[in-house]
Amino acid sequence: PQQQEMSVATGGTEVASRLQSVLQRIASAAAAASGGSAKQLPRLVAVSKTKPISDIVAAYSAGQRHFGENYVQELYEKSHSPEIQSQCPDIRWHFIGHCQSKNVKRLSQVNNLDTMETVDSEKLANLLHKEWTKTSAYESGSQLRVFIQVNTSNEEQKYGCQPNQVVGLAGHLLENCPAISLAGLMTIGSLEASHQAEDGNADFERLVLCRRELTAALKLGGEEQLELSMGMSSDFELAIKMGSTNVRVGSTIFGERNYSK
């Protein structure tokens, strides 16, 4: 047991130092993007899928509050873990994977669910709205923040609505789903596009353009009222340079994932 405690403690220290390194890189990228005048740093969502609760507690203890998960059942179980509930009371969960209709009810039962980043259809928006109205969070006046996921790279294996569907989906959400609030747009984009050019990614540019068209079409005021969630471990600095306000970083903080389970 003592040896086990030692390895957990060492792992925790490692997670904390990697987290600090990522936060420094975010700050540097934001400063470079704004010419040193960044008012607010982009939000870091630490992606903890397949990772043990001890890693989440270590990152939380080091100051991290927003965590992302890709699988509804794994997120549900982690959010209901007594250890998470007692040691991470202010944790804010983001769901960043594809959610099938049959899993929407379970997703709405996640403790401290802050944001659903992958709404890509009216059907999913309607189901989320319906289930969220049954939660205690909604009863206490809390809307569920959502991002519309856009398939900017037009890859068949990726989820997300097409760029030309964004205005219609956002309009539907704003008119018919008062239990959920539109926080912004999200894309995964092509990693190849990030690696091909150091100064830009065409998929990220498309998301920026989608936001511009959306705010103009629905007269939503300034573009900055809608967030952009883009950028992961291998390209988050480029995403920040291009305007991302929310980056999803997993393996750079927690190490390689173990899918054997």
Side-chain angles (χ1 to χ4, degrees):
Q2 198 175 356
Q3 211 172 0
Q4 219 170 11
E5 275 174 38
M6 285 277 289
S7 70
V8 167
T10 309
T13 311
E14 207 172 312
V15 165
S17 80
R18 285 178 183 163
L19 174 67
Q20 289 313 315
S21 167
V22 168
L23 289 170
Q24 283 163 4
R25 287 169 63 189
I26 287 173
S28 298
S34 65
S37 64
K39 292 186 192 76
Q40 196 174 358
L41 288 181
R43 178 188 305 103
L44 168 63
V45 177
V47 181
S48 48
K49 68 175 178 182
T50 80
K51 293 298 173 182
I53 282 168
S54 56
D55 281 4
I56 297 170
V57 172
Y60 184 95
S61 301
Q64 180 62 22
R65 290 296 176 267
H66 291 263
F67 291 81
E69 290 283 339
N70 288 60
Y71 307 111
V72 173
Q73 188 58 30
E74 184 178 359
L75 171 54
Y76 177 86
E77 286 171 9
K78 284 176 174 173
S79 81
H80 284 267
S81 143
E83 201 175 345
I84 292 285
Q85 289 183 317
S86 66
Q87 296 191 47
C88 312
D90 297 321
I91 198 166
R92 295 286 172 262
W93 292 109
H94 289 232
F95 184 71
I96 60 172
H98 175 63
C99 184
Q100 294 176 292
S101 301
K102 65 180 182 183
N103 293 328
V104 172
K105 183 176 184 178
R106 176 53 50 105
L107 179 64
S108 72
Q109 295 166 341
V110 165
N111 279 329
N112 287 27
L113 182 64
D114 181 88
T115 307
M116 158 59 157
E117 294 202 20
T118 50
V119 173
D120 59 1
S121 68
E122 290 185 6
K123 180 186 176 187
L124 183 55
N126 291 342
L127 282 169
L128 266 176
H129 166 73
K130 181 185 167 194
E131 292 301 335
W132 196 252
T133 59
K134 301 173 186 173
T135 64
S136 57
Y138 179 71
E139 283 170 16
S140 63
S142 175
Q143 289 174 295
L144 175 64
R145 285 164 35 89
V146 303
F147 286 87
I148 289 175
Q149 181 176 3
V150 189
N151 186 349
T152 52
S153 53
N154 201 25
E155 293 172 272
E156 273 183 33
Q157 75 274 22
K158 282 190 178 148
Y159 292 100
C161 67
Q162 291 302 306
N164 63 6
Q165 297 173 317
V166 171
V167 173
L169 179 51
H172 173 83
L173 212 148
L174 292 166
E175 273 182 43
N176 303 294
C177 306
I180 54 185
S181 72
L182 178 59
L185 305 179
M186 176 270 214
T187 196
I188 293 172
S190 153
L191 285 178
E192 203 180 324
S194 284
H195 295 152
Q196 278 169 350
E198 284 179 22
D199 58 341
N201 174 322
D203 300 330
F204 294 165
E205 277 169 18
R206 278 185 203 101
L207 198 70
V208 172
L209 186 61
C210 277
R211 178 173 69 173
R212 191 171 303 148
E213 289 170 351
L214 175 58
T215 49
L218 299 185
K219 299 181 173 58
L220 298 176
E223 286 178 36
E224 66 286 343
Q225 288 186 20
L226 285 180
E227 289 197 50
L228 294 177
S229 175
M230 53 191 196
M232 299 188 289
S233 277
S234 62
D235 59 4
F236 70 86
E237 284 150 309
L238 176 62
I240 290 169
K241 184 179 175 183
M242 299 184 69
S244 180
T245 61
N246 187 84
V247 294
R248 311 175 301 272
V249 181
S251 52
T252 307
I253 297 169
F254 298 112
E256 290 307 309
R257 296 192 180 95
N258 175 13
Y259 288 105
S260 63
K261 294 173 193 172

